Amino acid sequence: MSLRHALLGLLAIKSASGYDLLRTFETSLAQVWPATQSQVYGELGKLTTAGLTEVSTCGPRGRKEYAITTAGRQELRDWLLEPQPPRVVRSAALLRFFFLGQLDRTEAAAMLHAEVEWATQYLAQLRAIETMTAKYDDELSRAGRLVLDYGISNTTAHREWARRTRQHFAAEADQDAGSAE
Amino acid sequence: MSLRHALLGLLAIKSASGYDLLRTFETSLAQVWPATQSQVYGELGKLTTAGLTEVSTCGPRGRKEYAITTAGRQELRDWLLEPQPPRVVRSAALLRFFFLGQLDRTEAAAMLHAEVEWATQYLAQLRAIETMTAKYDDELSRAGRLVLDYGISNTTAHREWARRTRQHFAAEADQDAGSAE
DNA sequence: GTTCCCATGTAACGGGTTACATGATTGA
DNA sequence: TCAATCATGTAACCCGTTACATGGGAAC
Protein backbone atom coordinates (compact mmCIF):
# COMPACT_ATOMS: atom_id res chain seq x y z
CA MET A 1 0.00 0.00 0.00
CA SER A 2 2.94 2.36 -0.14
CA LEU A 3 2.19 4.04 -3.43
CA ARG A 4 -0.82 5.50 -1.67
CA HIS A 5 1.43 7.00 1.00
CA ALA A 6 3.97 8.21 -1.50
CA LEU A 7 1.23 10.19 -3.24
CA LEU A 8 -0.19 11.50 0.02
CA GLY A 9 3.30 12.58 1.07
CA LEU A 10 3.91 14.48 -2.13
CA LEU A 11 0.49 16.11 -2.01
CA ALA A 12 1.11 17.08 1.63
CA ILE A 13 4.08 19.09 0.41
CA LYS A 14 2.25 20.63 -2.53
CA SER A 15 -0.97 20.12 -4.51
CA ALA A 16 -0.27 18.70 -7.93
CA SER A 17 -1.73 16.96 -10.98
CA GLY A 18 -1.10 13.34 -11.86
CA TYR A 19 1.28 14.56 -14.48
CA ASP A 20 3.25 16.66 -11.98
CA LEU A 21 3.41 13.74 -9.57
CA LEU A 22 4.69 11.53 -12.31
CA ARG A 23 7.55 13.95 -12.98
CA THR A 24 8.43 13.82 -9.29
CA PHE A 25 8.40 10.04 -9.32
CA GLU A 26 10.80 10.09 -12.24
CA THR A 27 13.20 12.48 -10.60
CA SER A 28 13.09 12.48 -6.80
CA LEU A 29 11.46 9.13 -6.06
CA ALA A 30 12.84 6.89 -8.81
CA GLN A 31 15.36 5.28 -6.44
CA VAL A 32 12.97 5.03 -3.53
CA TRP A 33 9.60 3.97 -4.79
CA PRO A 34 9.21 3.89 -8.57
CA ALA A 35 5.74 4.15 -10.03
CA THR A 36 4.27 4.10 -13.50
CA GLN A 37 1.80 6.45 -15.11
CA SER A 38 -1.14 4.08 -15.07
CA GLN A 39 -0.53 3.34 -11.43
CA VAL A 40 -0.45 7.00 -10.42
CA TYR A 41 -3.66 7.92 -12.23
CA GLY A 42 -5.38 4.83 -10.90
CA GLU A 43 -4.35 5.43 -7.31
CA LEU A 44 -5.30 9.12 -7.45
CA GLY A 45 -8.81 7.99 -8.35
CA LYS A 46 -8.93 5.55 -5.44
CA LEU A 47 -7.52 8.13 -3.01
CA THR A 48 -10.21 10.61 -4.05
CA THR A 49 -12.96 8.01 -3.72
CA ALA A 50 -11.59 7.22 -0.25
CA GLY A 51 -11.72 10.91 0.66
CA LEU A 52 -8.00 11.20 1.33
CA THR A 53 -7.50 13.60 -1.57
CA GLU A 54 -9.77 15.86 -3.61
CA VAL A 55 -9.67 17.61 -6.96
CA SER A 56 -8.91 21.21 -6.03
CA THR A 57 -8.64 22.85 -9.46
CA CYS A 58 -9.36 21.95 -13.07
CA GLY A 59 -6.92 23.57 -15.46
CA PRO A 60 -6.53 23.58 -19.24
CA ARG A 61 -6.15 20.32 -21.19
CA GLY A 62 -8.29 18.47 -18.67
CA ARG A 63 -5.69 19.02 -15.99
CA LYS A 64 -6.93 18.06 -12.53
CA GLU A 65 -5.00 19.32 -9.57
CA TYR A 66 -5.27 17.15 -6.49
CA ALA A 67 -5.01 18.36 -2.89
CA ILE A 68 -4.66 16.31 0.28
CA THR A 69 -7.63 16.41 2.68
CA THR A 70 -7.56 16.44 6.48
CA ALA A 71 -8.30 12.72 6.48
CA GLY A 72 -5.41 12.26 4.07
CA ARG A 73 -2.99 14.11 6.34
CA GLN A 74 -4.10 11.96 9.24
CA GLU A 75 -3.55 8.79 7.22
CA LEU A 76 -0.07 10.00 6.26
CA ARG A 77 0.81 10.79 9.88
CA ASP A 78 -0.42 7.38 11.03
CA TRP A 79 1.74 5.72 8.42
CA LEU A 80 4.81 7.79 9.31
CA LEU A 81 4.41 7.06 13.00
CA GLU A 82 3.57 3.34 12.76
CA PRO A 83 5.42 1.85 15.71
CA GLN A 84 6.25 -1.45 13.95
CA PRO A 85 6.68 -0.66 10.26
CA PRO A 86 6.84 -3.78 8.09
CA ARG A 87 10.40 -4.76 7.17
CA VAL A 88 9.87 -7.03 4.22
CA VAL A 89 12.97 -7.11 2.11
CA ARG A 90 13.25 -8.54 -1.38
CA SER A 91 16.59 -7.91 -2.97
CA ALA A 92 17.60 -9.42 -6.29
CA ALA A 93 21.18 -8.30 -5.61
CA LEU A 94 21.31 -10.22 -2.33
CA LEU A 95 19.77 -13.24 -3.98
CA ARG A 96 22.55 -13.29 -6.54
CA PHE A 97 25.12 -13.11 -3.76
CA PHE A 98 23.39 -15.96 -1.99
CA PHE A 99 24.14 -18.21 -4.93
CA LEU A 100 27.69 -17.00 -5.54
CA GLY A 101 28.90 -20.45 -4.49
CA GLN A 102 27.55 -21.80 -7.77
CA LEU A 103 30.29 -20.00 -9.66
CA ASP A 104 33.90 -21.00 -9.39
CA ARG A 105 36.00 -18.78 -7.13
CA THR A 106 37.60 -16.81 -9.95
CA GLU A 107 34.23 -16.05 -11.51
CA ALA A 108 32.80 -15.08 -8.15
CA ALA A 109 35.73 -12.74 -7.53
CA ALA A 110 35.19 -11.17 -10.97
CA MET A 111 31.50 -10.70 -10.30
CA LEU A 112 32.24 -9.01 -6.99
CA HIS A 113 34.83 -6.84 -8.66
CA ALA A 114 32.17 -5.65 -11.09
CA GLU A 115 30.00 -4.95 -8.07
CA VAL A 116 32.70 -2.77 -6.52
CA GLU A 117 33.08 -0.88 -9.79
CA TRP A 118 29.36 -0.34 -10.05
CA ALA A 119 29.18 0.94 -6.47
CA THR A 120 32.04 3.34 -7.12
CA GLN A 121 30.34 4.77 -10.18
CA TYR A 122 27.00 4.95 -8.45
CA LEU A 123 28.57 6.74 -5.47
CA ALA A 124 30.07 9.28 -7.82
CA GLN A 125 26.63 9.89 -9.32
CA LEU A 126 25.03 10.30 -5.93
CA ARG A 127 27.73 12.73 -4.81
CA ALA A 128 27.29 14.70 -8.01
CA ILE A 129 23.58 15.00 -7.36
CA GLU A 130 24.33 16.04 -3.79
CA THR A 131 26.61 18.82 -4.99
CA MET A 132 24.20 20.00 -7.65
CA THR A 133 21.22 20.18 -5.34
CA ALA A 134 23.01 21.59 -2.28
CA LYS A 135 21.77 25.09 -3.05
CA TYR A 136 18.06 24.25 -2.99
CA ASP A 137 16.17 24.51 0.25
CA ASP A 138 12.58 23.53 -0.49
CA GLU A 139 10.86 20.65 1.26
CA LEU A 140 11.35 18.21 -1.62
CA SER A 141 15.07 18.95 -1.89
CA ARG A 142 15.59 18.50 1.84
CA ALA A 143 13.74 15.17 1.67
CA GLY A 144 15.84 14.20 -1.31
CA ARG A 145 19.05 15.02 0.56
CA LEU A 146 17.98 12.83 3.47
CA VAL A 147 17.56 9.76 1.30
CA LEU A 148 20.55 10.69 -0.82
CA ASP A 149 22.67 10.60 2.31
CA TYR A 150 21.11 7.25 3.14
CA GLY A 151 21.92 5.97 -0.32
CA ILE A 152 25.52 7.08 0.01
CA SER A 153 25.93 5.33 3.37
CA ASN A 154 24.37 2.16 2.11
CA THR A 155 26.24 2.07 -1.16
CA THR A 156 29.50 2.62 0.70
CA ALA A 157 28.71 -0.32 2.98
CA HIS A 158 27.75 -2.36 -0.07
CA ARG A 159 31.07 -1.59 -1.71
CA GLU A 160 33.09 -2.41 1.37
CA TRP A 161 31.27 -5.72 1.72
CA ALA A 162 31.90 -6.53 -1.93
CA ARG A 163 35.60 -5.70 -1.52
CA ARG A 164 35.97 -7.89 1.56
CA THR A 165 34.05 -10.74 0.00
CA ARG A 166 35.97 -10.46 -3.23
CA GLN A 167 39.26 -10.74 -1.37
CA HIS A 168 37.88 -13.74 0.41
CA PHE A 169 37.11 -15.53 -2.88
CA ALA A 170 40.36 -14.39 -4.45
CA ALA A 171 42.33 -15.87 -1.54
CA GLU A 172 40.55 -19.20 -2.00
CA ALA A 173 41.26 -19.08 -5.72
CA ASP A 174 44.95 -18.55 -4.93
CA GLN A 175 44.95 -21.57 -2.65
CA ASP A 176 43.41 -23.62 -5.44
CA ALA A 177 46.10 -22.46 -7.82
CA GLY A 178 48.80 -23.16 -5.23
CA SER A 179 47.69 -26.69 -4.50
CA ALA A 180 47.30 -27.42 -8.20
CA GLU A 181 50.99 -26.75 -8.90
CA MET B 1 11.51 -13.24 -12.42
CA SER B 2 13.76 -13.85 -9.44
CA LEU B 3 11.71 -16.52 -7.71
CA ARG B 4 12.58 -18.68 -10.68
CA HIS B 5 16.28 -18.13 -10.07
CA ALA B 6 15.95 -18.62 -6.34
CA LEU B 7 14.45 -22.05 -6.99
CA LEU B 8 17.04 -22.92 -9.61
CA GLY B 9 19.77 -21.87 -7.20
CA LEU B 10 18.47 -24.06 -4.42
CA LEU B 11 17.97 -27.02 -6.75
CA ALA B 12 21.51 -26.52 -8.07
CA ILE B 13 22.73 -27.12 -4.54
CA LYS B 14 20.46 -30.09 -3.91
CA SER B 15 17.40 -31.73 -5.44
CA ALA B 16 14.33 -31.17 -3.31
CA SER B 17 10.55 -31.26 -3.18
CA GLY B 18 8.35 -28.18 -3.10
CA TYR B 19 7.87 -28.78 0.57
CA ASP B 20 11.62 -28.91 1.22
CA LEU B 21 12.15 -25.74 -0.77
CA LEU B 22 9.47 -24.03 1.21
CA ARG B 23 11.27 -24.86 4.44
CA THR B 24 14.42 -23.31 3.00
CA PHE B 25 12.55 -20.18 2.01
CA GLU B 26 11.27 -19.88 5.57
CA THR B 27 14.68 -20.25 7.13
CA SER B 28 17.59 -19.26 4.88
CA LEU B 29 15.88 -17.05 2.33
CA ALA B 30 13.21 -15.28 4.39
CA GLN B 31 15.27 -12.07 4.59
CA VAL B 32 16.47 -12.22 1.01
CA TRP B 33 13.60 -13.30 -1.19
CA PRO B 34 10.47 -14.46 0.65
CA ALA B 35 8.05 -16.74 -1.17
CA THR B 36 4.75 -18.34 -0.36
CA GLN B 37 3.66 -21.93 -0.76
CA SER B 38 1.35 -21.34 -3.70
CA GLN B 39 4.07 -19.42 -5.48
CA VAL B 40 6.65 -22.16 -5.05
CA TYR B 41 4.42 -24.96 -6.28
CA GLY B 42 3.24 -22.83 -9.19
CA GLU B 43 6.74 -21.86 -10.24
CA LEU B 44 8.03 -25.43 -9.98
CA GLY B 45 5.38 -26.39 -12.50
CA LYS B 46 6.40 -23.62 -14.86
CA LEU B 47 10.10 -24.43 -14.48
CA THR B 48 9.41 -28.05 -15.37
CA THR B 49 7.30 -27.08 -18.37
CA ALA B 50 10.14 -24.84 -19.49
CA GLY B 51 12.60 -27.74 -19.15
CA LEU B 52 14.75 -26.02 -16.54
CA THR B 53 13.88 -28.58 -13.90
CA GLU B 54 12.46 -32.09 -13.93
CA VAL B 55 10.77 -34.46 -11.50
CA SER B 56 13.54 -36.85 -10.52
CA THR B 57 11.79 -39.04 -7.95
CA CYS B 58 8.26 -39.63 -6.73
CA GLY B 59 8.18 -40.50 -3.04
CA PRO B 60 5.41 -41.38 -0.59
CA ARG B 61 2.47 -39.01 0.00
CA GLY B 62 2.64 -37.74 -3.55
CA ARG B 63 6.07 -36.23 -2.91
CA LYS B 64 7.77 -35.06 -6.09
CA GLU B 65 11.47 -34.40 -5.94
CA TYR B 66 12.69 -31.84 -8.45
CA ALA B 67 16.17 -31.73 -9.96
CA ILE B 68 17.76 -28.99 -12.02
CA THR B 69 18.48 -29.82 -15.67
CA THR B 70 21.46 -28.77 -17.78
CA ALA B 71 19.36 -26.01 -19.32
CA GLY B 72 18.43 -24.93 -15.80
CA ARG B 73 22.08 -24.70 -14.74
CA GLN B 74 22.83 -22.64 -17.80
CA GLU B 75 19.96 -20.28 -17.04
CA LEU B 76 21.20 -19.92 -13.46
CA ARG B 77 24.73 -19.15 -14.62
CA ASP B 78 23.50 -16.59 -17.12
CA TRP B 79 21.54 -14.88 -14.39
CA LEU B 80 24.47 -14.91 -11.96
CA LEU B 81 26.82 -13.48 -14.57
CA GLU B 82 24.51 -10.86 -16.06
CA PRO B 83 26.82 -7.92 -16.67
CA GLN B 84 24.17 -5.28 -15.92
CA PRO B 85 21.88 -6.73 -13.29
CA PRO B 86 18.72 -4.67 -12.75
CA ARG B 87 18.96 -2.39 -9.71
CA VAL B 88 15.34 -1.58 -9.07
CA VAL B 89 14.90 -0.60 -5.46
CA ARG B 90 11.61 -0.21 -3.67
CA SER B 91 12.01 0.48 0.01
CA ALA B 92 9.09 1.38 2.26
CA ALA B 93 11.60 2.36 4.95
CA LEU B 94 13.29 4.88 2.66
CA LEU B 95 9.93 6.22 1.57
CA ARG B 96 9.04 6.94 5.18
CA PHE B 97 12.33 8.75 5.63
CA PHE B 98 11.65 10.77 2.52
CA PHE B 99 8.57 12.23 4.18
CA LEU B 100 10.11 12.79 7.61
CA GLY B 101 9.77 16.53 7.01
CA GLN B 102 6.01 16.14 7.45
CA LEU B 103 6.52 15.45 11.14
CA ASP B 104 7.70 18.11 13.54
CA ARG B 105 11.36 17.87 14.48
CA THR B 106 10.76 16.24 17.86
CA GLU B 107 8.56 13.57 16.33
CA ALA B 108 11.07 12.97 13.58
CA ALA B 109 13.85 12.59 16.13
CA ALA B 110 11.74 10.11 18.09
CA MET B 111 10.99 8.11 14.97
CA LEU B 112 14.68 7.94 14.12
CA HIS B 113 15.48 6.96 17.66
CA ALA B 114 13.09 4.02 17.31
CA GLU B 115 14.90 3.19 14.09
CA VAL B 116 18.25 3.09 15.90
CA GLU B 117 16.78 0.83 18.57
CA TRP B 118 15.35 -1.49 15.97
CA ALA B 119 18.67 -1.69 14.13
CA THR B 120 20.48 -2.48 17.37
CA GLN B 121 18.13 -5.32 18.17
CA TYR B 122 18.23 -6.64 14.64
CA LEU B 123 22.02 -6.55 14.65
CA ALA B 124 22.04 -8.58 17.85
CA GLN B 125 19.78 -11.15 16.18
CA LEU B 126 21.98 -11.35 13.12
CA ARG B 127 25.10 -11.76 15.24
CA ALA B 128 23.41 -14.49 17.24
CA ILE B 129 22.56 -16.36 14.06
CA GLU B 130 26.14 -15.90 12.89
CA THR B 131 27.48 -17.44 16.09
CA MET B 132 25.02 -20.31 16.04
CA THR B 133 25.72 -21.28 12.45
CA ALA B 134 29.49 -20.76 12.49
CA LYS B 135 30.09 -24.49 12.89
CA TYR B 136 28.25 -25.56 9.72
CA ASP B 137 30.13 -25.82 6.49
CA ASP B 138 27.64 -26.93 3.83
CA GLU B 139 26.91 -24.90 0.73
CA LEU B 140 23.68 -23.43 2.13
CA SER B 141 25.33 -22.31 5.36
CA ARG B 142 28.20 -20.67 3.54
CA ALA B 143 25.71 -18.84 1.32
CA GLY B 144 23.78 -17.83 4.40
CA ARG B 145 26.92 -16.43 6.03
CA LEU B 146 27.67 -14.37 2.96
CA VAL B 147 24.33 -12.60 3.04
CA LEU B 148 24.34 -12.48 6.84
CA ASP B 149 27.57 -10.53 6.68
CA TYR B 150 25.98 -8.28 4.09
CA GLY B 151 22.99 -7.76 6.35
CA ILE B 152 25.23 -6.85 9.27
CA SER B 153 27.15 -4.29 7.20
CA ASN B 154 24.00 -2.75 5.86
CA THR B 155 22.17 -2.64 9.14
CA THR B 156 25.19 -1.01 10.76
CA ALA B 157 25.22 1.64 8.06
CA HIS B 158 21.48 2.06 8.48
CA ARG B 159 21.91 2.60 12.22
CA GLU B 160 24.70 5.10 11.80
CA TRP B 161 22.64 7.06 9.30
CA ALA B 162 19.67 7.07 11.65
CA ARG B 163 21.89 8.29 14.52
CA ARG B 164 23.36 11.12 12.46
CA THR B 165 20.00 12.14 11.09
CA ARG B 166 18.38 11.97 14.51
CA GLN B 167 21.02 14.31 15.91
CA HIS B 168 20.41 16.62 13.02
CA PHE B 169 16.68 16.84 13.81
CA ALA B 170 17.33 17.07 17.54
CA ALA B 171 19.66 20.02 17.01
CA GLU B 172 16.99 21.80 14.99
CA ALA B 173 14.42 21.07 17.70
CA ASP B 174 16.79 22.65 20.26
CA GLN B 175 17.11 25.77 18.12
CA ASP B 176 13.32 25.99 17.97
CA ALA B 177 13.13 25.72 21.74
CA GLY B 178 15.90 28.30 22.18
CA SER B 179 14.34 30.90 19.90
CA ALA B 180 10.94 30.37 21.51
CA GLU B 181 12.21 31.44 24.96
C1' DG C 1 -7.69 -43.54 16.38
C1' DT C 2 -6.25 -39.19 16.40
C1' DT C 3 -2.97 -35.70 16.05
C1' DC C 4 0.82 -33.83 13.88
C1' DC C 5 3.56 -33.26 10.04
C1' DC C 6 4.34 -34.16 5.15
C1' DA C 7 2.76 -32.85 0.77
C1' DT C 8 0.34 -30.76 -3.12
C1' DG C 9 -2.63 -28.03 -5.27
C1' DT C 10 -6.49 -24.09 -6.72
C1' DA C 11 -9.05 -19.59 -6.59
C1' DA C 12 -9.68 -14.79 -5.71
C1' DC C 13 -7.68 -10.55 -5.26
C1' DG C 14 -4.48 -6.65 -5.30
C1' DG C 15 -0.32 -4.28 -6.96
C1' DG C 16 2.81 -3.36 -10.69
C1' DT C 17 4.35 -3.28 -15.75
C1' DT C 18 3.65 -2.67 -20.59
C1' DA C 19 1.19 -1.23 -24.25
C1' DC C 20 -2.53 1.03 -26.28
C1' DA C 21 -5.40 5.09 -27.04
C1' DT C 22 -6.66 9.86 -27.17
C1' DG C 23 -6.64 14.67 -27.25
C1' DA C 24 -5.42 19.78 -25.97
C1' DT C 25 -1.96 23.51 -25.92
C1' DT C 26 2.29 25.81 -26.81
C1' DG C 27 6.02 27.41 -29.46
C1' DA C 28 9.05 27.35 -33.49
C1' DT D 1 1.42 23.61 -39.53
C1' DC D 2 4.06 20.48 -37.24
C1' DA D 3 6.48 18.80 -33.33
C1' DA D 4 6.98 18.63 -28.59
C1' DT D 5 4.93 18.61 -24.34
C1' DC D 6 1.03 18.49 -21.27
C1' DA D 7 -2.50 15.56 -19.78
C1' DT D 8 -5.53 11.61 -18.78
C1' DG D 9 -7.15 7.30 -19.12
C1' DT D 10 -7.96 1.74 -20.17
C1' DA D 11 -6.75 -3.29 -20.91
C1' DA D 12 -3.99 -7.33 -20.66
C1' DC D 13 -0.76 -9.65 -18.25
C1' DC D 14 2.45 -11.27 -14.52
C1' DC D 15 3.78 -11.64 -9.77
C1' DG D 16 2.69 -12.10 -5.02
C1' DT D 17 -0.62 -12.78 -0.95
C1' DT D 18 -4.33 -14.96 1.45
C1' DA D 19 -7.41 -18.40 1.98
C1' DC D 20 -9.39 -22.62 0.85
C1' DA D 21 -9.19 -27.58 0.02
C1' DT D 22 -7.46 -32.22 0.22
C1' DG D 23 -5.23 -36.33 1.58
C1' DG D 24 -1.28 -39.74 2.95
C1' DG D 25 1.90 -41.39 6.54
C1' DA D 26 4.07 -41.68 11.14
C1' DA D 27 4.08 -41.73 16.01
C1' DC D 28 1.76 -42.02 20.22
Side-chain angles (χ1 to χ4, degrees), chain B residues 58-126:
Chain B
C58 289
R61 290 177 264 192
R63 176 192 166 94
K64 289 192 261 181
E65 193 167 271
Y66 290 87
I68 191 169
T69 62
T70 309
R73 281 192 195 275
Q74 190 55 49
E75 170 64 31
L76 180 62
R77 261 187 79 79
D78 290 348
W79 174 72
L80 282 169
L81 293 171
E82 259 177 305
Q84 307 276 318
R87 302 278 175 184
V88 191
V89 177
R90 183 169 267 133
S91 159
L94 252 185
L95 189 62
R96 273 161 41 102
F97 299 145
F98 191 89
F99 293 119
L100 263 184
Q102 290 303 305
L103 298 174
D104 65 46
R105 306 186 207 291
T106 315
E107 286 173 321
M111 194 265 238
L112 288 166
H113 181 68
E115 202 61 26
V116 173
E117 299 271 280
W118 168 81
T120 301
Q121 291 202 327
Y122 190 55
L123 274 174
Q125 274 181 45
L126 294 181

Side-chain angles (χ1 to χ4, degrees), chain B residues 3 11 17 31 43 64 75 111 141 143 160 176:
Chain B
L3 173 62
L11 291 176
S17 69
Q31 303 304 311
E43 191 63 36
K64 289 192 261 181
E75 170 64 31
M111 194 265 238
S141 305
E160 291 318 304
D176 291 355

Side-chain angles (χ1 to χ4, degrees), chain A residues 11-147:
Chain A
L11 291 176
I13 296 173
K14 196 172 185 312
S15 292
S17 68
Y19 190 85
D20 297 336
L21 292 166
L22 223 60
R23 294 287 85 79
T24 309
F25 271 91
E26 272 173 16
T27 53
S28 303
L29 282 177
Q31 304 303 313
V32 175
W33 200 273
T36 61
Q37 187 244 31
S38 54
Q39 242 186 313
V40 169
Y41 284 113
E43 191 62 36
L44 281 171
K46 289 185 206 164
L47 279 166
T48 304
T49 306
L52 302 177
T53 59
E54 59 188 11
V55 177
S56 56
T57 333
C58 289
R61 289 177 264 196
R63 176 192 167 94
K64 289 193 261 181
E65 193 168 89
Y66 290 87
I68 192 169
T69 63
T70 310
R73 281 192 195 275
Q74 189 57 50
E75 170 64 30
L76 180 62
R77 262 188 80 79
D78 290 348
W79 174 72
L80 282 170
L81 293 171
E82 259 178 304
Q84 307 276 317
R87 303 276 175 184
V88 192
V89 175
R90 185 169 267 132
S91 160
L94 251 185
L95 189 62
R96 273 163 39 104
F97 298 146
F98 190 90
F99 293 118
L100 262 183
Q102 290 304 305
L103 299 174
D104 65 47
R105 307 186 207 291
T106 315
E107 285 173 323
M111 194 265 238
L112 288 165
H113 181 67
E115 202 62 25
V116 173
E117 299 272 279
W118 167 82
T120 302
Q121 290 202 329
Y122 190 55
L123 274 173
Q125 273 181 44
L126 294 181
R127 294 220 174 85
I129 294 173
E130 197 170 43
T131 308
M132 277 193 306
T133 58
K135 55 184 166 188
Y136 300 112
D137 195 41
D138 55 303
E139 180 78 41
L140 214 61
S141 305
R142 281 198 298 270
R145 263 192 303 273
L146 222 71
V147 299

